[in-house]
Amino acid sequence: MSVIVPHAAHWGYFDAVVEDGRVTGARPFARDPWPNPLVEGMPDLVHAECRIDRPYVREGWLRGARRGSPRGRDGFVPVSWDRATRLVAEEVARVRAEHGDASILGGSYGWASAGRFHHARSQLHRFLGLGGGFTSQVTNYSYGAGMTLMPHVLGTNDPVTGPATDWRSIIGNARLMLCFGGLPLKNGLVTAGGGGAHEYVPQMRRAAEAGLRFVNISPLRGDTAEFLKADWVPMRPGGDTAMVLAMIHAIVEAGMEDRDFLSRCTTGWDRLLAYVSGEADGVPKTPEWAEALCDVPAATIRALALEAARVPTMVTATWSIQRAEHGEQPWWALVALASVLGGIGKPGQGIAFGYGSINGMGTARRELPTVNLPAARNPVGVSIPVARVTELLERPGEVLRYNGRDILLPDIRMVFWAGGNPFHHHQDLNRLARAFSRPETIVVSEPWWTSIARHADIVLPATTTLERNDIASSSRDRFLRAMHRAVPPQGEARNDHDAFADIAEALGYRERFTEGRDEGAWLRHLYDRFRRACAAMGAGVPEFDRFWAEGHIEFSPPERDFVGFADFAADPVAAPLATPSGKVELYSETVAGFGDPEVPGHAVWKAPREWLGGDLSRFPLHLLSSQPATRLHGQLDPARAARAGKLQGREPIRMHPADAAARGLVTGQVVRVFNDRGAALAGLVLEEGLRPGVVTMSTGAWWDPRETEAGLLCVHGNANVLTQDIGTSSLGQGCAAQSCLVQVEAWLGALPEVSVHRPPRRVVVLDEGR
């Protein structure tokens, strides 16, 4: 007999089908207009071969091989939960006593998975914060550079994270949408915190039917759906800023800039104009100048610019274009373009980042609170940008420059990681692995044998969402979802809250951590806080028991369209921005005052070190590492969709047929992709809708390294063995993965087996007390 259980994931709400104690299926939420088929892989994760069945300790760590010991190669010794709890508590106490609280890195990057109480980052940081503090991480890999910049320019990150001008307003008012990086369909399949309604595709369809003209400015034709009938401008990767500056030049040259908006609502236009005109440096940023950099014909640049100046235009860019060296610059330039057009604050116009990056951006939704676990204060107060974790481990005692301040990097002796896998998110994985040899102890709480678990010393088996109760809540979705436990914890898995509570008890602060509540009491408490907050905003929600029984709440959409910065544009004096000037800062005295020549006070063109406009003598192809359509990051990699999407068990690499022919390569064969940082095997797919010289690989294939005569080779196809581990700049210190050159050649040897989805070697020790 089947049991149907309401549940949720960041791929969408679904009903889990349970038979004989196993999750056998996942049915999409009935109210979802565009359900995500990826939820069908949820049973695969619960019952995967690579689940961590019980606590383990790395064999070498037990024998004393700690700081400086290579990780990721040893076998693991099974231990009891009592012993694992004791070992973790002893190490936390010892490291704090000997090296200070800042010597513990609270690593967690679990994206924003559905389930707000059991959110791994929240649980871990609460545990470490109440215990004395830790070194933390700020920003993110997705848009870290942009989220650091935008408060200087617009006073807020709303255009990045939402609320942003909604699609209803765009459909009703805009006539042109300039899409830098496109509007990829696959990115509309995920919602941070979970979502009941995938509105992304239905809204774009309505926009196309209303006659909105889309322009896809991207190296990939497929970055917009066919039904949008978008014009494709196949720009050279890394050339965005040059093209945008040239568009501004063309508009000013034609006398079509919105002088009223620039005068009333911006500061620093004179400084930026001097740069664009060439007065400041002798180089006019004309479309002809930009053509040599972005490889877009000057006539196309000029025509797009003048069209945008004539008709109501929405300017947007994906999060991905700022994940490059100097990644702050294209976003700053795009704000300037929207200002020159005068569209900021007008219905359906202006600027936003992320319409093509995540579901829910631009979805009409009432501004209501979300369900969240209250954060605990971190007494240490030391944080690094998340994309600089390798430098943190490599450079103890040195200074990292970030956003105008100097961060003294602590000496990390212990890493405690729960949620996420840096061996997916991070760049230059071979370098990261070397850095992970430096700490004395690494503790990881994780459901599966991912690379971070394989690089741990103490491994705590965590439950999946389907093995616990929780609440899904997102600021980008109009639903709230009860997540009922579908099956008991598999093996000896435990949820983080219970595991951390036992460790906290051994350290003397269990009551402060739990506040006397178990899972059920916490869910009621968090829901009641949410209910009171909703009531204060005029929104009534049912009591907890009714919500839990019915499975979800739906909030009605707002009656009025939302237009970003409308009040500011109408009266910038009465409704100023949260910038020093109260205006859009096309020139920022604050940023200029940081004294970094790479990031002056306004948007500028800076050539990346690795791009198709530079030295191509050794590595002539530009690799773009995109988000996958068959999973989210590395999540779902063991599931059916990701497995079906691989070629001979390897992640695909897409290449233009002309580039393949020049190398004697044919579709379907396994190739070696390499540069000086590393190498990976991939399955070749030929793609006409890709500009020559560019290749693409999706991130997220679990890292599966093998020692070869030429160095480490990822036999599975993890693109991040190839990408640069450098900051976007000293301002944002974001991920710069998209600035990456490689070469591709045929793989002529025997194909190594992909084994990363199986558990590592288990070492049997009869006396586990040794």
Side-chain angles (χ1 to χ4, degrees):
M1 179 178 176
S2 297
V3 177
I4 307 301
V5 178
H7 210 72
H10 24 288
W11 304 288
Y13 292 177
F14 65 96
D15 293 326
V17 181
V18 182
E19 300 177 24
D20 298 326
R22 290 180 64 87
V23 182
T24 58
R27 301 173 183 172
F29 183 50
R31 301 296 304 279
D32 195 338
W34 190 52
N36 185 349
L38 293 184
V39 297
E40 296 172 3
M42 293 297 288
D44 303 340
L45 296 187
V46 176
H47 305 294
E49 181 185 4
C50 55
R51 282 295 300 269
I52 303 171
D53 62 332
R54 61 174 298 170
Y56 287 90
V57 181
R58 182 171 65 87
E59 180 184 21
W61 188 87
L62 285 173
R63 293 176 176 171
R66 302 195 177 184
R67 191 163 221 199
S69 174
R71 293 178 167 91
R73 305 173 187 175
D74 283 0
F76 286 86
V77 178
V79 299
S80 67
W81 262 107
D82 284 346
R83 188 177 185 209
T85 299
R86 185 172 68 252
L87 287 174
V88 173
E90 289 171 352
E91 277 301 285
V92 169
R94 179 190 68 80
V95 171
R96 287 194 193 281
E98 295 180 3
H99 305 289
D101 298 315
S103 65
I104 299 177
L105 170 63
S108 183
Y109 195 78
W111 203 67
S113 54
R116 307 319 294 160
F117 170 61
H118 288 295
H119 184 242
R121 178 183 176 91
S122 301
Q123 291 287 348
L124 177 65
H125 286 186
R126 179 179 175 83
F127 164 74
L128 291 175
L130 291 172
F134 60 102
T135 292
S136 186
Q137 298 158 303
V138 295
T139 73
N140 59 37
Y141 286 94
S142 295
Y143 48 83
M147 73 185 295
T148 303
L149 172 69
M150 281 301 119
H152 293 298
V153 179
L154 292 171
T156 178
N157 269 312
D158 284 357
V160 183
T161 60
T165 297
D166 63 40
W167 278 98
R168 294 190 313 195
S169 182
I170 295 170
I171 292 167
N173 297 279
R175 293 295 173 266
L176 173 66
M177 195 166 190
L178 299 176
C179 307
F180 287 81
L183 294 169
L185 287 188
K186 57 184 173 55
N187 295 342
L189 293 172
V190 294
T191 307
H198 290 96
E199 302 280 6
Y200 179 56
V201 169
Q203 289 171 142
M204 285 199 298
R205 286 189 182 276
R206 286 193 288 270
E209 291 165 0
L212 180 62
R213 185 167 110 78
F214 294 87
V215 179
N216 173 26
I217 305 165
S218 166
L220 287 77
R221 183 191 295 275
D223 271 346
T224 51
E226 289 187 12
F227 66 76
L228 293 181
K229 298 179 181 177
D231 283 341
W232 181 33
V233 179
M235 187 182 60
R236 175 183 288 161
D240 309 80
T241 305
M243 179 173 174
V244 176
L245 292 171
M247 292 177 72
I248 293 172
H249 187 284
I251 293 168
V252 173
E253 185 179 48
M256 299 176 72
E257 72 272 28
D258 191 322
R259 296 174 187 173
D260 175 66
F261 182 88
L262 291 169
S263 174
R264 290 188 309 111
C265 299
T266 75
T267 185
W269 168 237
D270 56 336
R271 304 287 292 269
L272 178 61
L273 179 59
Y275 175 74
V276 170
S277 68
E279 178 186 341
D281 62 359
V283 181
K285 310 308 179 294
T286 64
E288 289 73 21
W289 163 83
E291 178 175 349
L293 300 170
C294 64
D295 200 24
V296 175
T300 300
I301 298 172
R302 185 171 282 107
L304 277 178
L306 299 185
E307 180 184 1
R310 284 193 300 267
V311 302
T313 300
M314 171 57 77
V315 179
T316 186
T318 55
W319 294 344
S320 59
I321 69 167
Q322 56 82 70
R323 291 198 295 270
E325 190 174 9
H326 313 304
E328 298 84 0
Q329 300 307 322
W331 277 24
W332 203 346
L334 285 165
V335 172
L337 174 61
S339 299
V340 168
L341 295 173
I344 295 176
K346 292 182 179 178
Q349 303 176 59
I351 181 73
F353 307 95
Y355 287 124
S357 297
I358 193 169
N359 180 57
M361 282 293 287
T363 298
R365 181 187 185 274
R366 296 169 64 186
E367 284 302 300
L368 291 171
T370 56
V371 175
N372 282 297
L373 180 68
R377 187 178 72 89
N378 181 6
V380 168
V382 177
S383 296
I384 62 153
V386 66
R388 304 274 57 79
V389 65
T390 297
E391 291 181 54
L392 170 68
L393 298 176
E394 288 177 339
R395 298 171 48 199
E398 298 184 29
V399 170
L400 176 71
R401 185 76 173 166
Y402 168 64
N403 199 18
R405 60 189 178 90
D406 292 335
I407 302 172
L408 181 64
L409 298 176
D411 187 0
I412 299 299
R413 299 300 181 112
M414 182 178 191
V415 174
F416 203 136
W417 207 283
N421 176 11
F423 289 90
H424 156 68
H425 287 290
H426 207 69
Q427 286 62 62
D428 196 349
L429 295 186
N430 294 329
R431 179 184 171 196
L432 178 67
R434 293 190 295 270
F436 258 72
S437 71
R438 297 185 59 88
E440 296 170 7
T441 299
I442 298 176
V443 179
V444 171
S445 177
E446 173 65 50
W448 304 279
W449 282 109
T450 61
S451 292
I452 183 63
R454 294 167 188 266
H455 282 76
D457 300 310
I458 304 172
V459 183
L460 308 178
T463 51
T464 66
T465 66
L466 283 156
E467 297 156 56
R468 57 200 187 214
N469 296 300
D470 215 325
I471 298 172
S473 177
S474 171
S475 62
R476 298 190 183 98
D477 190 74
R478 69 176 186 271
F479 290 93
L480 190 80
R481 179 70 157 174
M483 298 171 62
H484 292 196
R485 191 177 86 164
V487 292
Q490 303 296 289
E492 296 183 23
R494 302 181 70 200
N495 68 60
D496 287 334
H497 182 76
D498 291 346
F500 296 166
D502 285 353
I503 300 169
E505 180 173 10
L507 293 167
Y509 62 96
R510 182 189 187 96
E511 286 302 308
R512 284 191 292 130
F513 177 72
T514 67
E515 298 184 11
R517 300 185 184 96
D518 61 9
E519 176 189 76
W522 267 112
L523 293 182
R524 288 180 177 273
H525 173 68
L526 298 182
Y527 182 86
D528 287 344
R529 291 175 71 244
F530 163 78
R531 187 167 180 256
R532 290 193 299 271
C534 285
M537 300 175 71
V541 298
E543 293 185 355
F544 178 82
D545 288 335
R546 179 181 165 191
F547 157 69
W548 197 254
E550 294 181 350
H552 72 269
I553 300 170
E554 180 178 3
F555 295 100
S556 59
E559 295 180 359
R560 298 174 56 188
D561 296 347
F562 177 78
V563 178
F565 303 107
D567 292 341
F568 162 73
D571 191 340
V573 176
L577 301 182
T579 57
S581 66
K583 299 182 178 183
V584 179
E585 302 224 341
L586 303 183
Y587 181 91
S588 168
E589 295 285 358
T590 301
V591 173
F594 294 161
D596 184 350
E598 292 294 300
V599 190
H602 58 72
V604 294
W605 161 253
K606 295 282 184 182
R609 279 169 279 188
E610 293 191 25
W611 75 308
L612 293 176
D615 180 10
L616 305 179
S617 58
R618 296 180 61 217
F619 305 113
L621 299 171
H622 193 125
L623 172 67
L624 295 178
S625 45
S626 61
Q627 284 301 323
T630 58
R631 56 182 177 263
L632 172 63
H633 303 301
Q635 300 172 53
L636 288 178
D637 193 52
R640 62 195 71 178
R643 287 178 179 267
K646 293 175 183 176
L647 291 175
Q648 299 189 58
R650 328 288 152 168
E651 191 66 25
I653 183 170
R654 286 172 165 76
M655 174 183 284
H656 191 276
D659 291 325
R663 292 163 175 78
L665 305 176
V666 296
T667 191
Q669 76 179 108
V670 173
V671 296
R672 177 175 174 261
V673 190
F674 64 98
N675 58 22
D676 286 337
R677 289 178 288 274
L681 297 184
L684 183 63
V685 175
L686 302 187
E687 181 72 66
E688 290 279 359
L690 184 64
R691 64 165 284 147
V694 175
V695 293
T696 67
M697 290 178 70
S698 291
T699 60
W702 287 9
W703 188 40
D704 198 356
R706 298 284 194 284
E707 291 280 2
T708 71
E709 293 182 0
L712 281 178
L713 172 73
C714 178
V715 302
H716 194 201
N718 189 309
N720 276 329
V721 302
L722 304 157
T723 51
Q724 288 193 91
D725 187 7
I726 59 172
T728 52
S729 75
S730 66
L731 176 66
Q733 290 289 4
C735 161
Q738 306 295 12
S739 299
C740 178
L741 294 178
V742 300
Q743 179 59 290
V744 177
E745 64 183 13
W747 174 258
L748 302 178
L751 274 180
E753 179 188 15
V754 176
S755 60
V756 70
H757 292 146
R758 296 199 302 268
R761 180 170 56 90
R762 173 172 169 157
V763 180
V764 178
V765 177
L766 295 180
D767 179 10
E768 73 163 32
R770 288 196 299 186

